[in-house]
Amino acid sequence: DYEMSGAYSMPNMTTLESLNMYAASIDFLSSRYSRSDALFGHIHRWIVHNEIDAATIWTNAGKRDVTSYIDIYMKSLRLIYYTTQKYNKNAEVFVPFTHYWKDRFNDECYAPSDMRDILLLFSEKEGDFKWGIAHHTYPEDLIEPQSWLDKNITFDFNTPLITFKNIEVLDAWVKQKRTFYKKSEPRRLMLSEQNPNSRDYSKRELEKQAACLVYAWKKMQACSSIEAYIA
């Protein structure tokens, strides 16, 4: 059901032939990048696809409702988790989202808050495994580095967006027991793609960019669940 408007496609999880080919490719990658001698480098954390709430753009599976989409995605996430576990018992998988929360990029995208709840439901019904969150905490305006000026945010779970300004909401979400792995262990959280951009390379704009990085770092220091920041 992939549409050409998408930058990337969801793997085809609907036929045995495709599933076996996909599993073989993941098996090859996980074995190659889990060697004890790290001959080819080492992959420990696997971010599974990209910005799944902006699915029609970044992980395209055609036009479908959110539950149908998560059903396909969960199969891919679970396959990668258990395949990498064969070679590295400490391997982790992460689910990547844009900076949206209750809101969504457009009518063909999904609300990340809904997707997270459905992921939790699938885990409960089909058997839980250790997946974490890889959030993209860009400012509200992607080219405006002054995230403290973001207006379309609140400091509760009904916030339209989660940016640097209200990153503590995401920290609070993963600390809820209902979100825990098997209701007993917090899920891992990292910020896997973001950074304050600058409108141009003028000295003033670069100063704003630097100031936002300091701002983001200070905000993260108050959030004990955030384990990594990847620019």
Side-chain angles (χ1 to χ4, degrees):
D1 297 326
Y2 168 73
E3 301 167 310
M4 292 303 293
S5 59
Y8 298 102
S9 168
M10 176 79 81
N12 183 357
M13 310 298 290
T14 63
T15 70
L16 186 60
E17 180 184 14
S18 175
L19 188 65
N20 283 334
M21 291 176 66
Y22 181 45
S25 67
I26 298 300
D27 189 275
F28 168 75
L29 290 170
S30 55
S31 62
R32 180 179 175 87
Y33 297 107
S34 297
R35 290 170 55 119
S36 59
D37 60 4
L39 178 63
F40 304 109
H42 186 82
I43 297 176
H44 175 64
R45 291 172 165 175
W46 299 74
I47 299 174
V48 180
H49 313 314
N50 184 46
E51 296 190 342
I52 64 166
D53 54 301
T56 53
I57 304 167
W58 292 115
T59 312
N60 192 295
K63 292 182 175 65
R64 59 182 65 246
D65 64 82
V66 64
T67 304
S68 171
Y69 181 87
I70 291 295
D71 182 46
I72 300 170
Y73 178 77
M74 199 66 165
K75 290 178 172 66
S76 179
L77 185 69
R78 192 182 292 272
L79 182 149
I80 292 178
Y81 175 76
Y82 283 110
T83 303
T84 57
Q85 287 285 304
K86 288 171 55 181
Y87 302 100
N88 178 5
K89 291 300 181 183
N90 295 313
E92 302 172 272
V93 293
F94 288 81
V95 184
F97 295 97
T98 67
H99 64 179
Y100 288 93
W101 186 263
K102 279 285 188 180
D103 207 350
R104 51 185 177 162
F105 179 66
N106 61 34
D107 290 342
E108 294 184 347
C109 296
Y110 310 113
S113 59
D114 294 340
M115 300 183 89
R116 288 181 173 92
D117 286 343
I118 297 170
L119 283 164
L120 291 172
L121 182 60
F122 268 76
S123 293
E124 180 182 343
K125 298 299 183 182
E126 297 182 346
D128 204 359
F129 59 102
K130 290 186 176 182
W131 53 266
I133 299 293
H135 191 76
H136 297 175
T137 328
Y138 287 104
E140 180 177 353
D141 181 342
L142 298 183
I143 59 171
E144 172 51 71
Q146 298 176 97
S147 189
W148 52 88
L149 300 178
D150 292 345
K151 293 182 172 60
N152 197 27
I153 65 105
T154 59
F155 292 89
D156 55 59
F157 294 140
N158 290 316
T159 181
L161 301 170
I162 288 186
T163 71
F164 293 126
K165 186 174 182 177
N166 65 338
I167 190 64
E168 54 265 47
V169 175
L170 186 57
D171 180 62
W173 187 87
V174 298
K175 290 176 178 175
Q176 298 176 100
K177 191 166 185 179
R178 75 174 187 89
T179 71
F180 285 11
Y181 164 64
K182 293 188 174 179
K183 300 294 191 294
S184 63
E185 180 182 331
R187 296 192 187 273
R188 314 296 286 269
L189 170 63
M190 66 171 163
L191 310 183
S192 63
E193 181 197 317
Q194 59 274 307
N195 245 14
N197 294 305
S198 58
R199 294 187 181 278
D200 55 49
Y201 291 102
S202 66
K203 185 174 185 296
R204 179 57 179 157
E205 289 300 315
L206 292 177
E207 287 173 346
K208 291 178 184 178
Q209 185 182 33
C212 187
L213 186 57
V214 174
Y215 174 76
W217 198 258
K218 291 290 187 181
K219 296 284 283 188
M220 286 187 293
Q221 285 182 320
C223 299
S224 60
S225 64
I226 299 175
E227 299 184 3
Y229 177 101
I230 304 171

